[in-house]
Amino acid sequence: MSEQTVTIYKRMKDLPSTRLLGAGTPMCAGCGGLQAVHEIYDILGEKTVFVNAAGCMTLLAVYPFTPFRGSWLYTSMASAPAGAQGVRDALDILLAKQRIKQEQDLDVVVLTGDGAAYGMGLSSTSSAIERGLDFIYVCYDNEGYGNTGQQTSAATPHGARTSTSTDARGFGGFKKDLFAIWAAHRPAYVATVIGSEPLDLARKIEKAKAMKGPRLIIALSPCPTGWDFDPMESAEIGHLAVKTGVWPLKEYENGQVTHTKVPSEWLPVEEYLKKQGRFAHLFKPQRNKALISEIQTRVDAYWAEVERA
Amino acid sequence: MYRIRFHGRGGQGTKTASRMLGTAFFLAGYQVQDAPRYGAERRGAPIFAYVRAAKEAIHERGVIREPNLVVVADDSLVPVPAAGVLQGATARSVMLISSSESAATWRDRLNFPGTVLTLPAEASEQAELCFVGAACTGAAARLLGVIPRAILEAAVREELSALGEDIIRRNLEQALAAFDCMEPHAGSVNEGVAFSVADAKAPDWIDLPVDESDAAAAAIHASATSVEVRTGLWRVLRPVIDYDRCNRCWWVCSEFCPDSAIKVDADGRPEIDYDHCKGCMICVAQCPPHAIAAVPEQEFSEKTP
Ligand SMILES: Cc1ncc(C[n+]2csc(CCOP(=O)(O)OP(=O)(O)O)c2C)c(N)n1
Ligand code: SF4
Ligand SMILES: [Mg+2]
């Protein structure tokens, strides 16, 4: 967080204490994605319209039920940013014709999973950023196609078991660096967040809300169902993702990347891995030392690079 | 025609249990329908699945209203009216509950018109929750009396073939142990008679007011209508706050609750909304002074079957 920023969220007690997102949604118990979405919504407020690509969160608004206080639009997986363009244009026309007042304007918020953000919808996001679309993109990243049974996506980390990567080493590929891809477009703002760090999240959403243009947020979303852990552990796994350095909290603004939370001491990545069934094959029946240290080395290399910069 | 209804919670393998039973029937030469019935509900939510099997073509459709056999994978669902476990049961119905309590206890408690049997939880003791489904399939197969042990085994193998030999083996152990354990009651489920169309009852429609409009769907004018959905039914454990230990930090439990189910008042006193709390227990794990305890939901429902 840059020094000049004035945030109203200085301490935990400054966070909103009322909840805007309605209870009763069909997300799984312990869903880390829903945790992040409710925290984001608390900051963004009700003057928002959500444009939601197919994924778990589409089930938020199953007619006639919705947890939102405003409108919600459902798009196909690849085209949420295009849907957002339509909504933004409609609002702009209404404003120009003075059919709505400035204070009735809404923030257009795209909400998609990683399957859409890292993969199917990347092209429509890229062109929306190119056009300078005034919108906020929230990707809840549960590192797989969760709603359809956790198939491997472009966000799946190396070594994780998914329903399509079932062999002894798990997924052989690597998680795509969406933060870097988005930042390379030079949009107004890009940030990573996680629901288990609500203060860091609140400051970033507060900042994004005050800006114009394309603002993109990736929320790592511990998913008890897809990652295979007890829902009770959801926030703890979020904490571990940050404390082990697996999920760097950072933001991009004016060509600069800043890390917003750098632990003074790192925990070994296996603290994070061993809590999740999707990595169980790294520990049972034998410890896969090579793969664990390969994952550790990659995390260490990332932070060494950060330090050098 | 056999009509079997499975009740469980999302994540317990109830859907798979009904599929395995359906496949077993099919391999035994029956015509079969099997279908899970859940809306958008997820892990922990009460769900049901049903199987119809007959030697002749099945013309009946939709959910089973008068089951010959009701299989309950999770006994905490029995007292929950919205789970509909007892729905449509008659004196000819058999109910099998996976439970550590005795059949006699359930018989007293339920005032169930038909036969009540339990699948002792010891039969699935070492089993993790996800194998309960297989045990239920095995027990159901034996109660029906028309599915041989070898066919049960083939059906389990067929349905789980993608999951690897280890998972298949553990499910088979459960299914076959439960099959053997139900020997004294083999064949105790009778086939039901075919219904005539004239007997069909109208389903419970939910009437929604439709706007006069040229738009495709009626608009929702209220906000946050999701609160009409009582996700509190998903819960098997209830978080209970000890207000003497709660230090009113408030932001921890309420902020971390994914479901907006913990409200705080002006003094920072948190209150859990049990109509919606899904029982994830994140608050129990995160509360700094450990002021929130996880209490089995059964302790609250015992008095109100
Ligand atoms: C073009 C297209 N392909 C496949 C699907 C089926 N589908 C619905 S939701 C979903 C998973 C989406 O994954 P992600 O975006 O990561 O969201 P999550 O389900 O994890 O929340 C898929 C594949 C679809 N709706 N559209
Ligand atoms: S599958 Fe994962 S991301 Fe989807 S609702 Fe369940 S916990 Fe959330
Ligand atoms: Mg996903």
Side-chain angles (χ1 to χ4, degrees):
Chain A
M1 192 90 6
S2 54
E3 305 301 322
Q4 311 93 302
T5 324
V6 187
T7 172
I8 64 163
Y9 304 111
K10 296 199 179 63
R11 309 164 302 150
M12 294 299 186
K13 295 231 165 185
D14 298 327
L15 293 170
S17 62
T18 48
R19 307 285 159 238
L20 273 187
L21 197 72
T25 68
M27 296 306 106
C28 301
C31 174
L34 189 62
Q35 186 185 52
V37 168
H38 101 70
E39 292 173 11
I40 291 170
Y41 193 41
D42 283 343
I43 310 288
L44 286 180
E46 26 191 309
K47 284 166 75 176
T48 36
V49 46
F50 281 82
V51 182
N52 204 158
C56 288
M57 296 286 168
T58 343
L59 300 176
L60 285 178
V62 179
Y63 188 83
F65 305 116
T66 173
F68 294 111
R69 288 162 196 276
S71 294
W72 175 89
L73 178 74
Y74 177 29
T75 72
S76 68
M77 267 192 82
S79 53
Q85 178 81 56
V87 175
R88 185 62 263 161
D89 289 351
L91 286 163
D92 288 342
I93 291 167
L94 291 173
L95 283 167
K97 292 190 171 170
Q98 296 184 332
R99 292 200 18 218
I100 57 170
K101 300 196 190 73
Q102 194 60 48
E103 58 274 20
Q104 291 174 302
D105 192 17
L106 304 170
D107 274 324
V108 183
V109 186
V110 162
L111 179 62
T112 82
D114 50 286
Y118 284 71
M120 285 192 217
L122 190 49
S123 150
S124 69
T125 313
S126 177
S127 46
I129 305 175
E130 254 169 67
R131 295 189 303 270
L133 178 62
D134 186 24
F135 80 127
I136 298 175
Y137 193 128
V138 175
C139 163
Y140 60 98
D141 178 1
N142 61 2
E143 307 194 315
Y145 289 96
N147 191 44
T148 40
Q150 197 70 2
Q151 292 82 13
T152 295
S153 80
T156 301
H158 188 63
R161 178 189 38 69
T162 68
S163 58
T164 46
S165 303
T166 52
D167 66 81
R169 288 179 56 85
F171 176 52
F174 298 94
K175 188 179 176 82
K176 192 186 270 181
D177 189 352
L178 184 63
F179 179 92
I181 294 169
W182 276 352
H185 289 71
R186 302 193 152 262
Y189 189 64
V190 188
T192 60
V193 299
I194 189 162
S196 55
E197 296 293 345
L199 196 58
D200 178 79
L201 177 146
R203 290 173 182 159
K204 287 169 175 168
I205 302 302
E206 176 194 35
K207 195 180 229 184
K209 184 177 154 73
M211 293 176 171
K212 289 272 168 212
R215 293 148 288 164
L216 307 107
I217 312 287
I218 316 173
L220 184 71
S221 302
C223 166
T225 312
W227 299 7
D228 189 13
F229 60 79
D230 186 322
M232 185 180 197
E233 302 260 37
S234 195
E236 183 56 20
I237 287 173
H239 289 137
L240 288 169
V242 175
K243 289 182 188 164
T244 56
V246 166
W247 187 245
L249 292 171
K250 55 186 169 180
E251 60 188 354
Y252 163 92
E253 207 184 342
N254 301 322
Q256 293 286 323
V257 175
T258 316
H259 284 78
T260 54
K261 198 165 174 119
V262 185
S264 49
E265 227 179 300
W266 299 107
L267 292 177
V269 287
E270 69 170 282
E271 299 297 317
Y272 170 71
L273 304 174
K274 73 182 181 198
K275 283 207 178 271
Q276 305 171 46
R278 65 176 173 156
F279 292 112
H281 55 282
L282 301 190
F283 303 95
K284 285 183 299 194
Q286 298 102 15
R287 200 181 153 81
N288 188 336
K289 273 203 207 125
L291 193 43
I292 297 170
S293 80
E294 187 193 335
I295 295 171
Q296 182 71 60
T297 307
R298 202 162 282 110
V299 170
D300 293 346
Y302 174 89
W303 288 101
E305 187 71 37
V306 170
E307 234 162 69
R308 250 197 313 274
Chain B
M1 184 190 310
Y2 288 104
R3 299 181 185 86
I4 300 118
R5 204 169 63 211
F6 285 85
H7 293 265
R9 292 184 181 273
Q12 284 177 332
T14 308
K15 178 181 101 180
T16 312
S18 85
R19 283 204 64 106
M20 292 189 294
L21 188 69
T23 300
F25 263 124
F26 185 73
L27 296 175
Y30 282 77
Q31 306 229 17
V32 182
Q33 273 178 7
D34 77 70
R37 173 56 193 244
Y38 47 90
E41 284 81 359
R42 305 205 153 203
R43 196 195 261 203
I47 64 161
F48 67 90
Y50 59 86
V51 179
R52 285 192 180 89
K55 286 286 187 188
E56 59 291 335
I58 302 173
H59 298 297
E60 243 173 73
R61 294 291 183 275
V63 299
I64 288 177
R65 291 181 189 278
E66 287 181 24
N68 312 115
L69 172 62
V70 179
V71 184
V72 188
D74 185 315
D75 63 358
S76 71
L77 288 172
V78 181
V80 177
V85 170
L86 302 175
Q87 205 191 40
T90 67
R92 286 164 46 85
S93 311
V94 175
M95 173 146 87
L96 174 75
I97 312 174
S98 166
S99 177
S100 53
E101 291 183 277
S102 72
T105 307
W106 283 109
R107 238 170 262 135
D108 288 349
R109 211 179 267 167
L110 287 182
N111 194 18
F112 182 77
T115 311
V116 180
L117 300 171
T118 50
L119 176 62
E122 303 89 70
S124 51
E125 195 177 25
Q126 332 85 304
E128 291 149 43
L129 218 52
C130 52
F131 299 113
V132 174
C136 287
T137 304
R142 194 59 176 274
L143 294 179
L144 291 158
V146 292
I147 298 171
R149 204 171 187 275
I151 284 192
L152 170 67
E153 180 167 348
V156 172
R157 285 191 178 283
E158 184 172 325
E159 282 303 322
L160 303 181
S161 61
L163 299 180
E165 195 47 47
D166 184 47
I167 305 259
I168 293 176
R169 183 183 51 75
R170 291 162 76 184
N171 276 283
L172 263 181
E173 271 167 20
Q174 293 302 318
L176 296 175
F179 184 92
D180 296 341
C181 146
M182 285 294 135
E183 205 221 311
H185 309 287
S188 59
V189 176
N190 296 308
E191 271 191 85
V193 288
F195 293 125
S196 100
V197 180
D199 301 334
K201 292 192 199 86
D204 309 325
W205 296 113
I206 301 172
D207 277 312
L208 291 172
V210 177
D211 298 336
E212 288 276 352
S213 81
D214 44 17
I220 306 170
H221 297 292
S223 61
T225 50
S226 57
V227 296
E228 297 299 326
V229 183
R230 299 285 188 253
T231 43
L233 291 177
W234 299 19
R235 202 171 55 233
V236 285
L237 287 172
R238 180 183 296 202
V240 178
I241 302 176
D242 174 352
Y243 287 103
D244 292 336
R245 281 164 86 181
C246 163
N247 62 23
R248 313 294 194 257
C249 71
W250 73 260
W251 71 268
V252 179
C253 56
S254 173
E255 186 76 13
F256 283 162
C257 172
D259 287 289
S260 303
I262 306 185
K263 293 183 182 56
V264 277
D265 66 15
D267 303 323
R269 186 180 190 273
E271 197 178 323
I272 299 175
D273 163 8
Y274 293 118
D275 283 343
H276 297 102
C277 161
K278 293 170 185 164
C280 70
M281 302 290 127
I282 291 178
C283 56
V284 174
Q286 295 296 320
C287 170
H290 304 291
I292 312 180
V295 183
E297 199 55 40
Q298 258 145 321
E299 291 182 17
F300 300 91
S301 57
E302 222 119 80
K303 310 270 157 352
T304 48

